[in-house]
Amino acid sequence: MKIDLTDTTASKINKALVKGRRAIGTPAVGMVLTLVIVTDEEHAYDAIKAAGDASREHPSRTLVVIKRHARSPRDRHATRLDAEVRLGSDAGAGETVLLRLHGELADRADSVVLPLLLPDAPVVVWWPVDAPPVPARDPLGSLAQRRITDTYAVEEPLRELAARAEGYEPGDTDLAWTRLTPWRSMLAAALDQARTEVLSAVVESEAENPSAELLARWFCARLGVPVEQVVTAGPVVTAVRLRTADGEIHIDRPEGPVARLSIPGQPNRVLALKVRSTAELIAEELRRLDPDEAYAAALHTEIIAPPQESRADGG
């Protein structure tokens, strides 16, 4: 079911939600959180689809905030709220409200979102692109227990990562970090099996990849070893090598959904390690709403560079 509302208010949207639920016989009590997506028209479709897929695991009320900035000075001061309410099969396992904010209302999105939050339920805010410098101090971000950004979706990921570190507050997270969960799990399991001291690490990835940068920082934070970063054709992270006293632990995934794991003294193994969809990443983030201390530690750790090799110069 879809209900279009033009030049409306938050009160009328709430009434439309109640009316729509009654019409299709769907209660709101099964929803576990409110997911607020702050995006533009260009990225709205993909974000809504990802949230809809994730809602099958986490039934939620999804509020999509789309700020429509007018070009002419006259329209810039014409404040208007248009909404589209989606319920039932059109909204995954929850309900979705598209909020298009025109004029000066675009700068006061929190005043529209606040009356639409589910009572006594956690709030998560996700910026698929163009996150604010300090998400926790953003008017919408301040409403949330969890704030999700994605440094992989910007033009200068490493500069954006530095901004995330500078403005970090507990509850912040980044999909560039979420993409590393399978890598970190496999590497931790490999180290448990090998039970040897790690001397240094190598991370191979495409250039300017924020996930590779966070993985290198994680090694420095957890292992305290120098990390070398090697640029490859990608996609994303393609290989990790941990140099130990007993040999090299190596996970290699040049392309496709599988990787090869090599541990000294053990036969090579094939592992499932696909590049996950945005819906899978969002679903993982919605499973936990407490501060991610591992992400915070990696974000604030400087990479330890490997020592420069000495070279004979005849002098």
Side-chain angles (χ1 to χ4, degrees):
M1 171 183 287
K2 293 183 180 181
I3 304 172
D4 290 320
L5 301 171
T6 303
D7 197 7
T8 187
T9 64
S11 176
K12 293 178 180 178
I13 294 171
N14 264 322
K15 290 179 181 178
L17 285 167
V18 173
K19 181 180 178 180
R21 286 198 301 269
R22 288 175 177 169
I24 62 176
T26 303
V29 292
M31 288 179 284
V32 297
L33 57 88
T34 303
L35 174 62
V36 181
I37 303 174
V38 187
T39 186
D40 53 22
E41 291 286 3
E42 180 182 355
H43 300 91
Y45 175 83
D46 290 338
I48 293 168
K49 186 178 185 305
D53 292 341
S55 72
R56 303 187 189 284
E57 180 178 339
H58 308 278
S60 58
R61 172 175 290 180
T62 301
L63 306 177
V64 186
V65 178
I66 303 173
K67 300 180 181 182
R68 301 289 298 270
H69 294 282
R71 295 183 179 180
S72 68
R74 182 187 63 184
D75 293 339
R76 202 169 294 141
H77 295 285
T79 299
R80 191 177 85 246
L81 170 63
D82 297 333
E84 179 183 326
V85 177
R86 300 179 181 179
L87 301 103
S89 60
D90 291 311
E95 53 191 27
T96 300
V97 181
L98 278 67
L99 303 167
R100 290 184 169 87
L101 283 62
H102 301 258
E104 296 179 349
L105 190 60
D107 297 324
R108 302 196 301 272
D110 56 311
S111 65
V112 176
V113 168
L114 188 59
L116 300 175
L117 301 179
L118 288 172
D120 302 321
V123 179
V124 178
V125 178
W126 170 32
W127 292 268
V129 293
D130 300 330
V134 184
R137 297 179 188 173
D138 179 81
L140 288 173
S142 65
L143 301 174
Q145 286 77 33
R146 193 77 161 172
R147 296 166 295 275
I148 305 172
T149 57
D150 190 359
T151 51
Y152 191 71
V154 302
E155 291 185 4
E156 298 181 273
L158 299 188
R159 177 178 292 184
E160 186 75 6
L161 202 62
R164 297 279 76 80
E166 185 176 349
Y168 174 83
E169 295 286 347
D172 291 354
T173 191
D174 195 294
L175 295 187
W177 174 252
T178 317
R179 293 181 178 93
L180 293 174
T181 300
W183 284 93
R184 294 190 297 119
S185 299
M186 290 181 183
L187 288 164
L191 287 174
D192 285 342
Q193 296 177 46
R195 294 193 176 278
T196 183
E197 181 184 2
V198 178
L199 305 176
S200 64
V202 178
V203 177
E204 301 181 8
S205 73
E206 61 188 4
E208 297 286 310
N209 183 269
S211 296
E213 179 76 10
L214 285 169
L215 185 58
R217 296 186 187 189
W218 182 65
F219 285 140
C220 294
R222 296 299 299 270
L223 303 175
V225 298
V227 180
E228 179 184 358
Q229 293 178 272
V230 177
V231 175
T232 66
V236 293
V237 179
T238 56
V240 172
R241 298 197 297 274
L242 300 179
R243 294 167 179 153
T244 75
D246 298 329
E248 188 175 87
I249 299 173
H250 188 190
I251 297 181
D252 182 34
R253 186 196 62 183
E255 59 182 353
V258 298
R260 296 186 182 277
L261 170 63
S262 174
I263 300 176
Q266 299 185 22
N268 293 345
R269 278 168 276 180
V270 176
L271 307 171
L273 192 59
K274 68 174 184 176
V275 177
R276 296 184 296 166
S277 68
T278 303
E280 292 172 302
L281 301 176
I282 291 296
E284 177 184 327
E285 283 299 333
L286 296 182
R287 290 181 200 128
R288 56 174 299 174
L289 300 177
D290 55 315
D292 192 336
E293 296 178 356
Y295 166 67
L299 191 63
H300 292 106
T301 299
E302 293 186 5
I303 294 176
I304 305 171
Q308 294 292 326
E309 295 183 0
S310 60
R311 59 184 181 88
D313 56 8

mmCIF file of all heavy atoms in Angstrom, residues 227-275:
data_model
loop_
_atom_site.group_PDB
_atom_site.id
_atom_site.type_symbol
_atom_site.label_atom_id
_atom_site.label_comp_id
_atom_site.label_asym_id
_atom_site.label_seq_id
_atom_site.Cartn_x
_atom_site.Cartn_y
_atom_site.Cartn_z
ATOM 1 N N VAL A 227 52.861 -2.425 9.460
ATOM 2 C CA VAL A 227 51.955 -2.893 8.406
ATOM 3 C C VAL A 227 52.330 -2.224 7.095
ATOM 4 O O VAL A 227 52.444 -0.991 7.027
ATOM 5 C CB VAL A 227 50.482 -2.581 8.746
ATOM 6 C CG1 VAL A 227 49.565 -3.086 7.625
ATOM 7 C CG2 VAL A 227 50.097 -3.211 10.073
ATOM 8 N N GLU A 228 52.486 -3.024 6.065
ATOM 9 C CA GLU A 228 52.754 -2.515 4.717
ATOM 10 C C GLU A 228 51.457 -2.590 3.907
ATOM 11 O O GLU A 228 50.738 -3.586 3.963
ATOM 12 C CB GLU A 228 53.835 -3.361 4.040
ATOM 13 C CG GLU A 228 54.159 -2.929 2.623
ATOM 14 C CD GLU A 228 55.165 -3.852 1.939
ATOM 15 O OE1 GLU A 228 55.642 -4.804 2.597
ATOM 16 O OE2 GLU A 228 55.451 -3.629 0.747
ATOM 17 N N GLN A 229 51.166 -1.522 3.177
ATOM 18 C CA GLN A 229 49.985 -1.502 2.326
ATOM 19 C C GLN A 229 50.405 -1.544 0.864
ATOM 20 O O GLN A 229 51.211 -0.722 0.412
ATOM 21 C CB GLN A 229 49.145 -0.251 2.601
ATOM 22 C CG GLN A 229 48.529 -0.256 4.000
ATOM 23 C CD GLN A 229 47.739 1.004 4.300
ATOM 24 O OE1 GLN A 229 48.285 1.998 4.770
ATOM 25 N NE2 GLN A 229 46.440 0.965 4.019
ATOM 26 N N VAL A 230 49.849 -2.505 0.129
ATOM 27 C CA VAL A 230 50.203 -2.728 -1.272
ATOM 28 C C VAL A 230 48.968 -2.478 -2.135
ATOM 29 O O VAL A 230 47.879 -2.988 -1.837
ATOM 30 C CB VAL A 230 50.720 -4.165 -1.493
ATOM 31 C CG1 VAL A 230 51.025 -4.401 -2.966
ATOM 32 C CG2 VAL A 230 51.957 -4.420 -0.631
ATOM 33 N N VAL A 231 49.125 -1.696 -3.192
ATOM 34 C CA VAL A 231 48.005 -1.371 -4.085
ATOM 35 C C VAL A 231 47.869 -2.447 -5.155
ATOM 36 O O VAL A 231 48.850 -2.826 -5.811
ATOM 37 C CB VAL A 231 48.209 0.004 -4.743
ATOM 38 C CG1 VAL A 231 47.100 0.283 -5.756
ATOM 39 C CG2 VAL A 231 48.239 1.098 -3.689
ATOM 40 N N THR A 232 46.639 -2.964 -5.315
ATOM 41 C CA THR A 232 46.324 -3.939 -6.355
ATOM 42 C C THR A 232 45.153 -3.424 -7.184
ATOM 43 O O THR A 232 44.648 -2.335 -6.959
ATOM 44 C CB THR A 232 45.970 -5.303 -5.734
ATOM 45 O OG1 THR A 232 44.748 -5.172 -4.984
ATOM 46 C CG2 THR A 232 47.080 -5.793 -4.816
ATOM 47 N N ALA A 233 44.704 -4.249 -8.128
ATOM 48 C CA ALA A 233 43.581 -3.859 -8.981
ATOM 49 C C ALA A 233 42.237 -3.992 -8.272
ATOM 50 O O ALA A 233 41.214 -3.533 -8.781
ATOM 51 C CB ALA A 233 43.577 -4.698 -10.257
ATOM 52 N N GLY A 234 42.206 -4.602 -7.087
ATOM 53 C CA GLY A 234 40.952 -4.776 -6.367
ATOM 54 C C GLY A 234 40.191 -5.997 -6.853
ATOM 55 O O GLY A 234 40.773 -6.867 -7.504
ATOM 56 N N PRO A 235 38.920 -6.150 -6.546
ATOM 57 C CA PRO A 235 38.089 -5.161 -5.839
ATOM 58 C C PRO A 235 38.318 -5.172 -4.329
ATOM 59 O O PRO A 235 38.615 -6.215 -3.766
ATOM 60 C CB PRO A 235 36.667 -5.619 -6.177
ATOM 61 C CG PRO A 235 36.783 -7.099 -6.335
ATOM 62 C CD PRO A 235 38.142 -7.336 -6.949
ATOM 63 N N VAL A 236 38.184 -4.025 -3.715
ATOM 64 C CA VAL A 236 38.371 -3.783 -2.279
ATOM 65 C C VAL A 236 39.627 -4.487 -1.767
ATOM 66 O O VAL A 236 40.662 -4.471 -2.409
ATOM 67 C CB VAL A 236 37.092 -4.136 -1.468
ATOM 68 C CG1 VAL A 236 35.991 -3.168 -1.826
ATOM 69 C CG2 VAL A 236 36.609 -5.554 -1.730
ATOM 70 N N VAL A 237 39.544 -5.143 -0.594
ATOM 71 C CA VAL A 237 40.704 -5.844 -0.048
ATOM 72 C C VAL A 237 40.877 -7.171 -0.786
ATOM 73 O O VAL A 237 39.930 -7.947 -0.905
ATOM 74 C CB VAL A 237 40.537 -6.096 1.461
ATOM 75 C CG1 VAL A 237 41.745 -6.851 2.016
ATOM 76 C CG2 VAL A 237 40.344 -4.777 2.207
ATOM 77 N N THR A 238 42.081 -7.430 -1.288
ATOM 78 C CA THR A 238 42.313 -8.647 -2.074
ATOM 79 C C THR A 238 43.171 -9.683 -1.360
ATOM 80 O O THR A 238 43.092 -10.862 -1.679
ATOM 81 C CB THR A 238 42.973 -8.304 -3.418
ATOM 82 O OG1 THR A 238 44.180 -7.571 -3.177
ATOM 83 C CG2 THR A 238 42.044 -7.460 -4.280
ATOM 84 N N ALA A 239 43.994 -9.262 -0.397
ATOM 85 C CA ALA A 239 44.840 -10.236 0.299
ATOM 86 C C ALA A 239 45.381 -9.640 1.584
ATOM 87 O O ALA A 239 45.534 -8.422 1.712
ATOM 88 C CB ALA A 239 45.998 -10.687 -0.595
ATOM 89 N N VAL A 240 45.666 -10.534 2.526
ATOM 90 C CA VAL A 240 46.320 -10.164 3.787
ATOM 91 C C VAL A 240 47.384 -11.208 4.080
ATOM 92 O O VAL A 240 47.127 -12.417 3.962
ATOM 93 C CB VAL A 240 45.314 -10.100 4.951
ATOM 94 C CG1 VAL A 240 46.045 -9.914 6.280
ATOM 95 C CG2 VAL A 240 44.329 -8.960 4.745
ATOM 96 N N ARG A 241 48.578 -10.749 4.457
ATOM 97 C CA ARG A 241 49.668 -11.658 4.830
ATOM 98 C C ARG A 241 50.171 -11.271 6.213
ATOM 99 O O ARG A 241 50.499 -10.106 6.458
ATOM 100 C CB ARG A 241 50.813 -11.588 3.811
ATOM 101 C CG ARG A 241 50.422 -12.020 2.413
ATOM 102 C CD ARG A 241 51.663 -12.332 1.572
ATOM 103 N NE ARG A 241 52.514 -11.169 1.389
ATOM 104 C CZ ARG A 241 52.363 -10.267 0.420
ATOM 105 N NH1 ARG A 241 51.365 -10.404 -0.434
ATOM 106 N NH2 ARG A 241 53.181 -9.247 0.301
ATOM 107 N N LEU A 242 50.212 -12.232 7.102
ATOM 108 C CA LEU A 242 50.764 -12.036 8.432
ATOM 109 C C LEU A 242 52.069 -12.817 8.513
ATOM 110 O O LEU A 242 52.076 -14.053 8.422
ATOM 111 C CB LEU A 242 49.784 -12.523 9.503
ATOM 112 C CG LEU A 242 48.415 -11.852 9.536
ATOM 113 C CD1 LEU A 242 47.558 -12.466 10.644
ATOM 114 C CD2 LEU A 242 48.542 -10.354 9.730
ATOM 115 N N ARG A 243 53.173 -12.109 8.665
ATOM 116 C CA ARG A 243 54.470 -12.752 8.755
ATOM 117 C C ARG A 243 54.739 -13.122 10.206
ATOM 118 O O ARG A 243 54.734 -12.264 11.082
ATOM 119 C CB ARG A 243 55.550 -11.824 8.210
ATOM 120 C CG ARG A 243 55.389 -11.589 6.707
ATOM 121 C CD ARG A 243 56.230 -10.439 6.219
ATOM 122 N NE ARG A 243 56.070 -10.252 4.764
ATOM 123 C CZ ARG A 243 56.228 -9.100 4.149
ATOM 124 N NH1 ARG A 243 56.522 -8.012 4.844
ATOM 125 N NH2 ARG A 243 56.075 -9.013 2.835
ATOM 126 N N THR A 244 54.979 -14.408 10.448
ATOM 127 C CA THR A 244 55.201 -14.905 11.805
ATOM 128 C C THR A 244 56.551 -15.613 11.882
ATOM 129 O O THR A 244 57.219 -15.850 10.865
ATOM 130 C CB THR A 244 54.092 -15.891 12.212
ATOM 131 O OG1 THR A 244 54.302 -17.140 11.543
ATOM 132 C CG2 THR A 244 52.714 -15.348 11.846
ATOM 133 N N ALA A 245 56.924 -15.988 13.101
ATOM 134 C CA ALA A 245 58.189 -16.704 13.302
ATOM 135 C C ALA A 245 58.153 -18.084 12.663
ATOM 136 O O ALA A 245 59.208 -18.657 12.332
ATOM 137 C CB ALA A 245 58.477 -16.821 14.801
ATOM 138 N N ASP A 246 56.946 -18.639 12.438
ATOM 139 C CA ASP A 246 56.824 -19.989 11.866
ATOM 140 C C ASP A 246 56.499 -19.978 10.376
ATOM 141 O O ASP A 246 56.334 -21.042 9.776
ATOM 142 C CB ASP A 246 55.725 -20.763 12.601
ATOM 143 C CG ASP A 246 56.045 -20.944 14.074
ATOM 144 O OD1 ASP A 246 57.244 -21.024 14.408
ATOM 145 O OD2 ASP A 246 55.104 -20.980 14.878
ATOM 146 N N GLY A 247 56.386 -18.816 9.777
ATOM 147 C CA GLY A 247 56.027 -18.727 8.363
ATOM 148 C C GLY A 247 54.955 -17.675 8.146
ATOM 149 O O GLY A 247 54.710 -16.836 9.017
ATOM 150 N N GLU A 248 54.285 -17.745 7.021
ATOM 151 C CA GLU A 248 53.326 -16.703 6.634
ATOM 152 C C GLU A 248 51.904 -17.226 6.640
ATOM 153 O O GLU A 248 51.599 -18.242 6.012
ATOM 154 C CB GLU A 248 53.688 -16.171 5.249
ATOM 155 C CG GLU A 248 52.871 -14.954 4.826
ATOM 156 C CD GLU A 248 53.356 -14.395 3.507
ATOM 157 O OE1 GLU A 248 52.886 -14.873 2.451
ATOM 158 O OE2 GLU A 248 54.207 -13.483 3.529
ATOM 159 N N ILE A 249 51.029 -16.533 7.363
ATOM 160 C CA ILE A 249 49.584 -16.775 7.279
ATOM 161 C C ILE A 249 49.045 -15.882 6.169
ATOM 162 O O ILE A 249 49.248 -14.672 6.191
ATOM 163 C CB ILE A 249 48.898 -16.453 8.616
ATOM 164 C CG1 ILE A 249 49.440 -17.346 9.729
ATOM 165 C CG2 ILE A 249 47.383 -16.612 8.489
ATOM 166 C CD1 ILE A 249 48.940 -16.973 11.100
ATOM 167 N N HIS A 250 48.344 -16.475 5.214
ATOM 168 C CA HIS A 250 47.981 -15.740 4.000
ATOM 169 C C HIS A 250 46.519 -16.005 3.648
ATOM 170 O O HIS A 250 46.101 -17.160 3.529
ATOM 171 C CB HIS A 250 48.897 -16.198 2.853
ATOM 172 C CG HIS A 250 48.742 -15.389 1.606
ATOM 173 N ND1 HIS A 250 49.311 -15.744 0.395
ATOM 174 C CD2 HIS A 250 48.086 -14.226 1.354
ATOM 175 C CE1 HIS A 250 49.014 -14.842 -0.527
ATOM 176 N NE2 HIS A 250 48.267 -13.915 0.045
ATOM 177 N N ILE A 251 45.736 -14.959 3.520
ATOM 178 C CA ILE A 251 44.379 -15.052 2.970
ATOM 179 C C ILE A 251 44.367 -14.281 1.661
ATOM 180 O O ILE A 251 44.677 -13.090 1.628
ATOM 181 C CB ILE A 251 43.319 -14.481 3.923
ATOM 182 C CG1 ILE A 251 43.269 -15.288 5.218
ATOM 183 C CG2 ILE A 251 41.938 -14.498 3.265
ATOM 184 C CD1 ILE A 251 42.214 -14.797 6.207
ATOM 185 N N ASP A 252 44.005 -14.955 0.580
ATOM 186 C CA ASP A 252 44.053 -14.354 -0.752
ATOM 187 C C ASP A 252 42.671 -14.429 -1.392
ATOM 188 O O ASP A 252 42.082 -15.507 -1.496
ATOM 189 C CB ASP A 252 45.081 -15.097 -1.611
ATOM 190 C CG ASP A 252 45.219 -14.485 -3.000
ATOM 191 O OD1 ASP A 252 45.094 -13.253 -3.103
ATOM 192 O OD2 ASP A 252 45.445 -15.232 -3.957
ATOM 193 N N ARG A 253 42.121 -13.258 -1.795
ATOM 194 C CA ARG A 253 40.842 -13.224 -2.506
ATOM 195 C C ARG A 253 40.956 -12.225 -3.650
ATOM 196 O O ARG A 253 40.492 -11.085 -3.582
ATOM 197 C CB ARG A 253 39.695 -12.810 -1.580
ATOM 198 C CG ARG A 253 38.312 -12.913 -2.261
ATOM 199 C CD ARG A 253 37.237 -12.165 -1.512
ATOM 200 N NE ARG A 253 37.510 -10.742 -1.428
ATOM 201 C CZ ARG A 253 36.743 -9.874 -0.760
ATOM 202 N NH1 ARG A 253 35.697 -10.290 -0.095
ATOM 203 N NH2 ARG A 253 37.050 -8.589 -0.723
ATOM 204 N N PRO A 254 41.571 -12.628 -4.756
ATOM 205 C CA PRO A 254 41.755 -11.679 -5.862
ATOM 206 C C PRO A 254 40.446 -11.267 -6.519
ATOM 207 O O PRO A 254 40.278 -10.138 -6.957
ATOM 208 C CB PRO A 254 42.653 -12.452 -6.831
ATOM 209 C CG PRO A 254 42.423 -13.894 -6.514
ATOM 210 C CD PRO A 254 42.142 -13.951 -5.044
ATOM 211 N N GLU A 255 39.489 -12.188 -6.616
ATOM 212 C CA GLU A 255 38.185 -11.878 -7.203
ATOM 213 C C GLU A 255 37.219 -13.009 -6.892
ATOM 214 O O GLU A 255 37.632 -14.106 -6.523
ATOM 215 C CB GLU A 255 38.293 -11.682 -8.722
ATOM 216 C CG GLU A 255 38.836 -12.896 -9.462
ATOM 217 C CD GLU A 255 38.975 -12.633 -10.949
ATOM 218 O OE1 GLU A 255 38.536 -11.570 -11.399
ATOM 219 O OE2 GLU A 255 39.518 -13.503 -11.645
ATOM 220 N N GLY A 256 35.930 -12.728 -7.032
ATOM 221 C CA GLY A 256 34.936 -13.766 -6.782
ATOM 222 C C GLY A 256 34.601 -13.918 -5.311
ATOM 223 O O GLY A 256 35.111 -13.195 -4.465
ATOM 224 N N PRO A 257 33.722 -14.896 -4.991
ATOM 225 C CA PRO A 257 33.209 -15.033 -3.628
ATOM 226 C C PRO A 257 34.030 -15.942 -2.716
ATOM 227 O O PRO A 257 33.624 -16.187 -1.581
ATOM 228 C CB PRO A 257 31.819 -15.641 -3.862
ATOM 229 C CG PRO A 257 31.999 -16.482 -5.084
ATOM 230 C CD PRO A 257 33.011 -15.770 -5.943
ATOM 231 N N VAL A 258 35.158 -16.473 -3.176
ATOM 232 C CA VAL A 258 35.930 -17.394 -2.350
ATOM 233 C C VAL A 258 37.348 -16.875 -2.147
ATOM 234 O O VAL A 258 37.863 -16.078 -2.939
ATOM 235 C CB VAL A 258 35.973 -18.812 -2.961
ATOM 236 C CG1 VAL A 258 34.573 -19.396 -3.058
ATOM 237 C CG2 VAL A 258 36.635 -18.791 -4.327
ATOM 238 N N ALA A 259 37.950 -17.322 -1.054
ATOM 239 C CA ALA A 259 39.330 -16.963 -0.742
ATOM 240 C C ALA A 259 40.091 -18.229 -0.372
ATOM 241 O O ALA A 259 39.498 -19.272 -0.060
ATOM 242 C CB ALA A 259 39.370 -15.971 0.415
ATOM 243 N N ARG A 260 41.411 -18.127 -0.400
ATOM 244 C CA ARG A 260 42.265 -19.255 -0.012
ATOM 245 C C ARG A 260 43.039 -18.876 1.240
ATOM 246 O O ARG A 260 43.653 -17.818 1.301
ATOM 247 C CB ARG A 260 43.219 -19.626 -1.155
ATOM 248 C CG ARG A 260 42.489 -20.123 -2.394
ATOM 249 C CD ARG A 260 43.463 -20.634 -3.465
ATOM 250 N NE ARG A 260 42.757 -21.066 -4.658
ATOM 251 C CZ ARG A 260 42.198 -22.268 -4.812
ATOM 252 N NH1 ARG A 260 42.290 -23.157 -3.829
ATOM 253 N NH2 ARG A 260 41.572 -22.585 -5.916
ATOM 254 N N LEU A 261 43.009 -19.770 2.217
ATOM 255 C CA LEU A 261 43.710 -19.554 3.479
ATOM 256 C C LEU A 261 44.900 -20.489 3.564
ATOM 257 O O LEU A 261 44.769 -21.707 3.385
ATOM 258 C CB LEU A 261 42.758 -19.802 4.658
ATOM 259 C CG LEU A 261 43.392 -19.860 6.046
ATOM 260 C CD1 LEU A 261 44.031 -18.518 6.414
ATOM 261 C CD2 LEU A 261 42.365 -20.273 7.091
ATOM 262 N N SER A 262 46.052 -19.919 3.878
ATOM 263 C CA SER A 262 47.278 -20.700 4.038
ATOM 264 C C SER A 262 47.841 -20.445 5.426
ATOM 265 O O SER A 262 48.066 -19.293 5.808
ATOM 266 C CB SER A 262 48.301 -20.313 2.967
ATOM 267 O OG SER A 262 49.538 -20.972 3.189
ATOM 268 N N ILE A 263 48.046 -21.533 6.195
ATOM 269 C CA ILE A 263 48.639 -21.471 7.526
ATOM 270 C C ILE A 263 49.837 -22.411 7.553
ATOM 271 O O ILE A 263 49.737 -23.551 7.091
ATOM 272 C CB ILE A 263 47.617 -21.874 8.620
ATOM 273 C CG1 ILE A 263 46.414 -20.927 8.595
ATOM 274 C CG2 ILE A 263 48.251 -21.873 9.994
ATOM 275 C CD1 ILE A 263 45.319 -21.306 9.577
ATOM 276 N N PRO A 264 50.982 -21.978 8.070
ATOM 277 C CA PRO A 264 52.162 -22.843 8.098
ATOM 278 C C PRO A 264 51.885 -24.185 8.786
ATOM 279 O O PRO A 264 51.290 -24.234 9.862
ATOM 280 C CB PRO A 264 53.184 -22.026 8.910
ATOM 281 C CG PRO A 264 52.761 -20.608 8.719
ATOM 282 C CD PRO A 264 51.271 -20.636 8.619
ATOM 283 N N GLY A 265 52.282 -25.257 8.108
ATOM 284 C CA GLY A 265 52.118 -26.594 8.668
ATOM 285 C C GLY A 265 50.748 -27.189 8.494
ATOM 286 O O GLY A 265 50.473 -28.284 9.005
ATOM 287 N N GLN A 266 49.840 -26.494 7.782
ATOM 288 C CA GLN A 266 48.494 -27.003 7.567
ATOM 289 C C GLN A 266 48.151 -26.952 6.083
ATOM 290 O O GLN A 266 48.686 -26.121 5.342
ATOM 291 C CB GLN A 266 47.472 -26.171 8.360
ATOM 292 C CG GLN A 266 47.672 -26.183 9.855
ATOM 293 C CD GLN A 266 46.571 -25.444 10.593
ATOM 294 O OE1 GLN A 266 45.469 -25.263 10.066
ATOM 295 N NE2 GLN A 266 46.856 -25.018 11.817
ATOM 296 N N PRO A 267 47.246 -27.820 5.629
ATOM 297 C CA PRO A 267 46.849 -27.770 4.216
ATOM 298 C C PRO A 267 46.074 -26.498 3.901
ATOM 299 O O PRO A 267 45.381 -25.953 4.765
ATOM 300 C CB PRO A 267 45.971 -29.015 4.056
ATOM 301 C CG PRO A 267 45.476 -29.323 5.439
ATOM 302 C CD PRO A 267 46.587 -28.925 6.367
ATOM 303 N N ASN A 268 46.197 -26.029 2.675
ATOM 304 C CA ASN A 268 45.447 -24.844 2.247
ATOM 305 C C ASN A 268 43.945 -25.123 2.252
ATOM 306 O O ASN A 268 43.508 -26.252 1.999
ATOM 307 C CB ASN A 268 45.892 -24.409 0.858
ATOM 308 C CG ASN A 268 47.317 -23.893 0.855
ATOM 309 O OD1 ASN A 268 47.878 -23.611 1.911
ATOM 310 N ND2 ASN A 268 47.912 -23.785 -0.321
ATOM 311 N N ARG A 269 43.169 -24.069 2.535
ATOM 312 C CA ARG A 269 41.718 -24.217 2.578
ATOM 313 C C ARG A 269 41.043 -23.145 1.737
ATOM 314 O O ARG A 269 41.586 -22.050 1.566
ATOM 315 C CB ARG A 269 41.218 -24.102 4.022
ATOM 316 C CG ARG A 269 41.334 -25.391 4.808
ATOM 317 C CD ARG A 269 41.114 -25.155 6.286
ATOM 318 N NE ARG A 269 42.336 -24.706 6.931
ATOM 319 C CZ ARG A 269 42.428 -24.431 8.220
ATOM 320 N NH1 ARG A 269 41.367 -24.531 8.992
ATOM 321 N NH2 ARG A 269 43.570 -24.044 8.748
ATOM 322 N N VAL A 270 39.851 -23.492 1.236
ATOM 323 C CA VAL A 270 39.031 -22.541 0.485
ATOM 324 C C VAL A 270 37.923 -22.043 1.395
ATOM 325 O O VAL A 270 37.224 -22.828 2.044
ATOM 326 C CB VAL A 270 38.442 -23.192 -0.784
ATOM 327 C CG1 VAL A 270 37.519 -22.213 -1.507
ATOM 328 C CG2 VAL A 270 39.555 -23.646 -1.717
ATOM 329 N N LEU A 271 37.747 -20.709 1.467
ATOM 330 C CA LEU A 271 36.776 -20.100 2.358
ATOM 331 C C LEU A 271 35.798 -19.233 1.571
ATOM 332 O O LEU A 271 36.159 -18.659 0.547
ATOM 333 C CB LEU A 271 37.490 -19.219 3.395
ATOM 334 C CG LEU A 271 38.621 -19.867 4.200
ATOM 335 C CD1 LEU A 271 39.336 -18.795 5.008
ATOM 336 C CD2 LEU A 271 38.089 -20.956 5.104
ATOM 337 N N ALA A 272 34.570 -19.146 2.064
ATOM 338 C CA ALA A 272 33.589 -18.225 1.476
ATOM 339 C C ALA A 272 33.890 -16.818 1.974
ATOM 340 O O ALA A 272 33.898 -16.570 3.176
ATOM 341 C CB ALA A 272 32.178 -18.645 1.855
ATOM 342 N N LEU A 273 34.150 -15.891 1.056
ATOM 343 C CA LEU A 273 34.488 -14.517 1.448
ATOM 344 C C LEU A 273 34.033 -13.566 0.343
ATOM 345 O O LEU A 273 34.829 -12.928 -0.337
ATOM 346 C CB LEU A 273 36.001 -14.391 1.677
ATOM 347 C CG LEU A 273 36.498 -13.113 2.365
ATOM 348 C CD1 LEU A 273 35.864 -12.946 3.729
ATOM 349 C CD2 LEU A 273 38.001 -13.118 2.481
ATOM 350 N N LYS A 274 32.727 -13.461 0.170
ATOM 351 C CA LYS A 274 32.190 -12.634 -0.899
ATOM 352 C C LYS A 274 32.159 -11.167 -0.492
ATOM 353 O O LYS A 274 32.222 -10.827 0.696
ATOM 354 C CB LYS A 274 30.778 -13.092 -1.270
ATOM 355 C CG LYS A 274 29.750 -12.841 -0.182
ATOM 356 C CD LYS A 274 28.343 -13.173 -0.670
ATOM 357 C CE LYS A 274 27.310 -12.825 0.399
ATOM 358 N NZ LYS A 274 25.926 -13.036 -0.072
ATOM 359 N N VAL A 275 32.045 -10.286 -1.474
ATOM 360 C CA VAL A 275 31.808 -8.868 -1.222
ATOM 361 C C VAL A 275 30.321 -8.716 -0.912
ATOM 362 O O VAL A 275 29.465 -8.974 -1.762
ATOM 363 C CB VAL A 275 32.202 -8.013 -2.444
ATOM 364 C CG1 VAL A 275 31.872 -6.549 -2.186
ATOM 365 C CG2 VAL A 275 33.690 -8.173 -2.745
#
